């Protein structure tokens, strides 16, 4: 393909090892129709991140087939989903989790894969530690058996979540077969108001395009608002691409990206840095390149968002009320809204501000980075968590935790009555002991408000870290713009 | 993987949009390290409702699941496919599927068929009115049939080729070893290594 290209197309094409369209023998085997079909390309993978939950069956598959890991030097494992966030020196209270963690250790050892184990300072959520270590770089292909792998797109990398069979395929071959994605541009123009965060931007985008608006597409986030976001903010936006149905999300690398990367452990140094910069600067979408789908949002019109339902597209602004199911035109949306309100025990017409909360969860691969903790800490400084509310902070990695402690943020949280935990996925998906009790309502900085996501019967409202912090103090949702 | 050529039998209508993989298999069952045995936990929370369609014995033995938009959204957990397989389901028909879920189905030899919404609605009506309705999916001709009703569907030719022959993806790719090695030889040495 010649002519102007998008960022996603450039990265994809630079990683094609084999394409049925380029291979005459294969084309013949498939019949002529393949020539006009969508190519299922064999793509080379630059970085494969592995964790304890979606890998055991993949390693077992390798053993059964007598395969080895082709490139352990392009593979990194950590333990994040199951790990308790307190009492790590004690025996794991859950024997199944303990077994899965132990299996991850044995597999890493057997196949020679570097592992950031539970007591390693670098341990943390897989999508926090890749960027932190400088392993996530522009122009790379990155995969992980986790749907939030799209996070790494913030650096201008093409990053996909994959299932366990594909994990095994990448371990064995360092490649994967994928259908070439369509491209989508989401442009956020203008400037965000004070107190409005990257989380509000992505919730606004999902509200606009719907939870399946990005299916089959790779989204490139563009526009002034995206350019002015920090890398942490861009990671928050890219992280939730999957919540809009997209296969991946990315942002073109720029000076903000390079400044974030410089000096990190696995980033090229010296002359190599200059050579890498030259490549990275060639990546942004060319003038005149076209996307299969384009959406534009005005950043100035984005207020803080709160989800009310059981998918991330069911959201309103903090000063709105719970919508009535009848207000939706499409029958499927009406039914979904009615079901969601029943599950969430909410009445249509209730102002969002009047919803009381029981729990606050600050953390996850969406909002567990240092900037998120700083923003929440600035809201709660000198205040106390409301009576009856349990609030916890789970930093995204051991290094985020350490940095927060060096900045004194842990004390701000502890003084306000928050719990200060060790790094992991924690209450984002409720695989470790951190779960909601049935009926409990949580203001959460995580990415999914599905039924039972944070514990069976638990009720989740997705918000930004600043909004979660403000809700912890008030005991109900408030417009954070009024308290900062 | 077993070859997939034809799936014929009764179909269970899952009449909800955006069914996410947390519903298909809750996270607590992801602690298991096996590939099988997830069927009993599929849709665990919804099965507590006696009116839930999977509690309707008329659909016992269904080999097809009819679904709505964006089925399998959310988490990449392949356990969701293993859970559906554990229910005895061999094919899904929906207006759209979440991408990772569809990839995972393909890996497990579960056929995913996309048809326009009105066609899926028609099949749902038939399966709801008469749970003994037989639906046939023929991969060779890319056709879905229910008695006199018939529609064709699209499928990526590479995937069709692989499904029909029950080929294992990894063994196929290993045949490209020389191509992968050639790619690696020209790959930039500036890309990072994870070595400690």
């Amino acid at each position: 393909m010649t002519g102007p290209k998008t960022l996603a197309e450039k990265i994809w094409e630079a990683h094609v090892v084999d394409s049925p369209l380029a291979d005459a023998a294969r084309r013949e085997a498939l019949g002529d129709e393949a020539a006009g079909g969508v190519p299922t390309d064999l793509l080379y993978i630059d970085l494969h991140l592995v964790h304890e939950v979606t890998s055991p069956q993949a390693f077992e598959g390798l053993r059964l087939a007598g395969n080895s890991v082709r490139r352990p030097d392009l593979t990194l494992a950590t333990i994040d989903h199951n790990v308790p966030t307190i009492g790590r020196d004690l025996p794991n209270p859950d024997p199944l989790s303990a077994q899965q963690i132990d299996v991850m250790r044995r597999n890493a050892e057997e196949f020679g894969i570097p592992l950031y184990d539970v007591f390693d300072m670098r341990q943390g959520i897989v999508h926090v530690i890749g960027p932190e270590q400088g392993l996530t770089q522009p122009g790379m292909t990155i995969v992980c058996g986790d749907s939030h792998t799209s996070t790494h797109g913030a650096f201008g990398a093409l990053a996909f979540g994959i299932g366990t069979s594909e994990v095994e395929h990448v371990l064995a071959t360092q490649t994967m077969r994928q259908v070439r994605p369509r491209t989508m541009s989401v442009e956020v123009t203008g400037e965000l108001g004070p107190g409005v965060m990257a989380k509000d931007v992505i919730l606004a985008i999902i509200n606009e395009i719907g939870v399946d608006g990005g299916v089959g597409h790779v989204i490139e986030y563009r526009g002034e608002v995206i350019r002015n976001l920090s890398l942490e903010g861009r990671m928050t936006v890219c992280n939730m691409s999957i919540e809009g149905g997209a296969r991946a999300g990315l942002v073109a690398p720029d000076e903000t990206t390079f400044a974030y990367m410089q000096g990190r452990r696995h980033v090229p140094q010296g002359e190599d840095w200059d050579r890498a910069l030259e490549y990275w600067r060639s990546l942004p979408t060319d003038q005149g390149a076209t996307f299969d789908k384009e959406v534009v949002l005005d950043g100035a019109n984005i207020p803080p968002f709160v989800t009310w339902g059981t998918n991330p597209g069911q959201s309103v602004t903090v000063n709105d009320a719970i919508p009535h199911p009848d207000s939706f035109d499409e029958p499927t949306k009406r039914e979904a809204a009615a079901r969601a309100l029943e599950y969430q025990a909410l009445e249509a017409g209730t102002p969002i501000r009047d919803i009381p909360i029981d729990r606050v969860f600050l953390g996850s691969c969406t909002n567990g980075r240092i900037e998120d903790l700083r923003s929440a800490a600035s809201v709660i400084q000198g205040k106390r968590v409301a009576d009856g509310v349990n609030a916890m902070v789970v930093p995204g990695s051991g290094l985020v935790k350490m940095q927060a402690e060096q900045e004194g943020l842990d004390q701000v949280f502890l003084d306000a009555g928050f719990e200060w935990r060790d790094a992991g996925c924690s209450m984002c998906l409720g695989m470790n002991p951190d779960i909601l009790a049935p009926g409990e309502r949580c203001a959460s900085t995580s990415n999914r408000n599905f039924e039972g996501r944070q514990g069976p019967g638990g009720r989740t409202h997705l918000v930004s870290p600043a909004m979660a912090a403000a809700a912890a103090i008030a005991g109900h949702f408030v417009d954070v713009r009024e308290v900062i | 993987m077993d070859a997939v050529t034809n799936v014929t039998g009764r179909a269970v209508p899952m009449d909800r949009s955006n069914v996410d993989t947390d519903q298909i298999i809750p996270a607590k069952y992801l602690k298991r390290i096996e590939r099988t045995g997830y069927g009993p936990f599929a849709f665990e929370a919804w099965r507590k409702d006696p009116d839930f369609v999977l509690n309707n014995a008329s659909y016992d033995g269904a080999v097809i699941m009819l679904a709505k938009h964006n089925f399998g959204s959310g988490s990449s957990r392949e356990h969701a496919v293993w859970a559906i397989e554990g229910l005895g389901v061999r094919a899904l028909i929906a207006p759209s599927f979440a991408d990772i879920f569809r990839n995972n189905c393909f890996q497990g030899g579960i056929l995913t068929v996309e048809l326009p919404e009105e066609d899926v609605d028609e099949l749902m009506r038939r399966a709801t009115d008469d749970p003994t309705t037989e639906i046939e999916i023929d991969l060779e001709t890319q056709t879905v049939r229910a008695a006199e009703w018939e529609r064709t569907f699209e499928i990526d030719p590479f995937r069709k080729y692989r499904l029909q022959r029950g080929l294992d993806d990894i063994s196929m790719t290993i045949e490209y070893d020389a191509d992968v090695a050639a790619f690696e030889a020209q790959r930039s040495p500036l890309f990072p290594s994870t070595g400690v």
Side-chain angles (χ1 to χ4, degrees):
Chain A
M1 198 168 94
T2 53
K5 289 174 190 170
T6 66
L7 166 61
E9 286 162 346
K10 290 183 196 184
I11 302 173
W12 185 279
E13 286 169 17
H15 288 82
V16 173
V17 175
D18 165 65
S19 170
L21 296 196
D23 181 337
R26 164 68 54 69
R27 202 157 59 229
E28 200 166 324
L30 295 179
D32 284 335
E33 60 189 322
V38 186
T40 304
D41 294 336
L42 188 66
L43 272 198
Y44 197 80
I45 302 303
D46 293 317
L47 176 65
H48 185 192
L49 300 165
V50 174
H51 63 84
E52 77 277 19
V53 172
T54 58
S55 68
Q57 297 87 350
F59 285 110
E60 184 61 17
L62 289 181
R63 267 191 290 271
L64 290 171
N67 287 326
S68 57
V69 173
R70 184 181 178 93
R71 295 296 300 265
D73 59 323
L74 304 184
T75 311
L76 176 70
T78 194
I79 291 165
D80 56 1
H81 281 62
N82 273 350
V83 67
T85 55
I86 44 170
R88 283 194 184 167
D89 43 345
L90 304 170
N92 194 310
D94 179 346
L96 277 179
S97 291
Q99 178 194 39
Q100 202 165 47
I101 290 168
D102 198 44
V103 165
M104 181 73 259
R105 287 180 182 136
R106 280 189 277 130
N107 284 330
E109 169 90 32
E110 180 182 340
F111 291 95
I113 295 167
L115 169 71
Y116 294 174
D117 206 338
V118 173
F119 292 104
D120 191 318
M121 277 307 291
R122 300 166 298 179
Q123 178 268 342
I125 307 174
V126 68
H127 310 308
V128 175
I129 65 177
E132 197 168 68
Q133 294 297 322
L135 286 166
T136 301
Q137 298 177 17
M140 291 172 67
T141 49
I142 300 175
V143 296
C144 174
D146 189 281
S147 59
H148 293 110
T149 309
S150 57
T151 312
H152 305 267
F155 292 79
L158 196 51
F160 299 104
I162 57 177
T164 298
S165 295
E166 288 177 310
V167 168
E168 183 183 338
H169 189 280
V170 177
L171 287 171
T173 69
Q174 204 56 32
T175 64
M176 73 172 179
R177 283 273 173 204
Q178 284 271 314
V179 176
R180 192 172 288 218
R182 293 190 289 275
T183 57
M184 177 169 176
S185 160
V186 173
E187 185 182 354
V188 190
T189 60
E191 205 174 324
L192 296 178
V196 180
M197 302 183 69
K199 182 64 161 289
D200 301 307
V201 173
I202 188 62
L203 286 173
I205 291 169
I206 297 165
N207 184 285
E208 173 74 21
I209 68 173
V211 291
D212 60 354
V215 169
H217 293 76
V218 169
I219 298 177
E220 181 179 334
Y221 300 98
R222 297 148 65 85
E224 208 181 334
V225 162
I226 304 297
R227 293 262 71 87
N228 289 332
L229 285 178
S230 66
L231 254 292
E232 282 91 346
R234 293 178 191 178
M235 282 191 257
T236 301
V237 170
C238 288
N239 171 274
M240 289 186 69
S241 300
I242 183 76
E243 264 55 69
R247 289 175 59 187
L250 34 65
V251 174
D254 59 11
E255 296 309 314
T256 307
T257 320
F258 309 142
Y260 180 96
M261 290 170 62
Q262 197 154 26
R264 288 185 190 266
R265 181 179 167 83
H266 291 280
V267 167
Q269 312 288 334
E271 278 178 30
D272 283 349
W273 169 262
D274 296 332
R275 285 168 54 215
L277 262 185
E278 205 176 312
Y279 169 56
W280 297 338
R281 289 200 166 119
S282 74
L283 291 168
T285 295
D286 297 327
Q287 282 284 339
T290 54
F291 293 86
D292 298 313
K293 203 167 172 179
E294 294 190 28
V295 175
V296 181
L297 273 78
D298 179 2
N301 287 338
I302 299 177
F305 268 81
V306 179
T307 64
W308 51 265
T310 53
N311 75 49
Q314 291 175 320
S315 62
V316 288
T317 79
V318 62
N319 295 311
D320 281 327
I322 307 285
H324 198 284
D326 291 344
S327 66
F328 295 96
D329 294 335
E330 288 174 46
T332 52
K333 285 198 173 165
R334 269 204 299 278
E335 287 161 29
R339 275 189 55 81
L341 292 188
E342 190 186 334
Y343 179 83
Q344 294 277 64
L346 291 170
E347 296 243 351
T350 307
I352 290 289
R353 288 161 170 263
D354 290 354
I355 301 174
I357 54 159
D358 307 302
R359 307 282 296 263
V360 172
F361 172 62
L362 183 53
S364 84
C365 57
T366 313
N367 282 131
R369 285 170 286 267
I370 190 69
E371 187 182 284
D372 302 312
L373 304 192
R374 285 184 193 138
S375 122
S378 74
V379 172
I380 62 163
Q381 180 106 43
K383 297 175 184 155
R384 287 286 303 171
V385 169
D387 285 346
V389 173
N390 170 283
M392 67 196 276
V393 187
V394 181
S397 72
L399 291 172
V400 168
K401 185 178 188 195
M402 191 174 79
Q403 188 176 351
E405 288 173 352
Q406 282 165 356
E407 295 179 16
L409 301 182
D410 57 327
Q411 211 49 54
V412 174
F413 285 113
L414 288 166
D415 289 347
F418 277 76
E419 293 176 24
W420 181 249
R421 300 289 192 100
D422 287 323
C425 299
S426 178
M427 203 193 274
C428 175
L429 85 165
M431 279 198 74
N432 77 349
D434 310 337
I435 57 170
L436 297 179
E440 276 191 326
R441 189 179 298 284
C442 181
S444 180
T445 67
S446 56
N447 40 55
R448 291 192 174 130
N449 51 345
F450 298 152
E451 290 179 28
R453 171 77 179 181
Q454 296 189 290
R459 296 162 183 151
T460 303
H461 297 271
L462 304 177
V463 286
S464 76
M467 283 286 290
I473 303 302
H476 56 87
F477 292 108
V478 290
D479 187 341
V480 70
R481 295 172 296 184
E482 293 169 10
V483 297
I484 51 172
Chain B
M1 195 180 80
D2 294 336
V4 182
T5 50
N6 184 294
V7 179
T8 303
R10 273 183 281 164
V12 56
M14 184 66 62
D15 193 10
R16 294 176 192 186
S17 55
N18 301 310
V19 171
D20 61 77
T21 52
D22 277 84
Q23 307 317 312
I24 300 173
I25 186 80
K28 61 182 169 181
Y29 299 111
L30 274 48
K31 295 172 189 170
R32 302 178 70 246
I33 58 171
E34 297 82 17
R35 233 175 225 269
T36 53
Y38 294 88
F41 315 120
F43 297 96
E44 184 183 57
W46 292 356
R47 274 168 137 172
K48 288 179 183 150
D49 172 5
D51 294 332
F52 182 55
V53 69
L54 288 179
N55 291 327
N56 183 341
S58 324
Y59 295 107
D60 285 357
V63 293
I64 294 170
M65 186 174 280
L66 302 169
K68 302 202 104 171
H69 272 292
N70 201 26
F71 187 85
S73 56
S75 156
S76 67
R77 56 188 74 165
E78 195 162 327
H79 312 67
V81 175
W82 302 332
I84 281 175
E85 196 177 12
L87 293 173
V89 170
R90 295 288 168 267
L92 291 142
I93 304 176
S96 67
F97 295 94
D99 286 308
I100 305 176
F101 176 80
R102 185 169 46 185
N103 286 344
N104 288 342
C105 281
F106 168 70
Q107 294 290 340
I110 302 287
L111 195 54
T112 53
V113 173
E114 271 190 16
L115 287 179
E117 189 168 14
E118 63 266 26
D119 292 335
V120 179
D121 285 348
E122 172 62 26
L123 291 173
M124 285 238 187
R125 255 192 304 278
R126 290 180 183 225
T128 307
D129 293 348
D130 177 7
T132 66
T133 300
E134 287 246 324
I135 296 177
E136 178 187 3
I137 305 171
D138 185 60
L139 184 57
E140 174 58 32
T141 57
Q142 298 178 210
T143 310
V144 178
R145 276 184 216 98
E148 85 302 340
W149 188 96
E150 188 176 303
R151 292 289 183 276
T152 56
F153 61 92
E154 296 291 316
I155 183 168
D156 167 39
F158 176 80
R159 292 197 158 179
K160 178 177 174 178
Y161 176 84
R162 206 205 112 186
L163 281 169
Q164 286 178 311
R165 288 157 184 80
L167 296 174
D168 170 58
D169 240 12
I170 295 176
S171 342
M172 279 179 79
T173 302
I174 284 175
E175 288 181 25
Y176 284 81
D177 195 55
D179 302 79
V180 177
F183 184 92
E184 285 175 329
Q186 54 81 49
R187 187 174 167 266
S188 169
L190 295 176
F191 284 122
S193 143
T194 55
V196 182

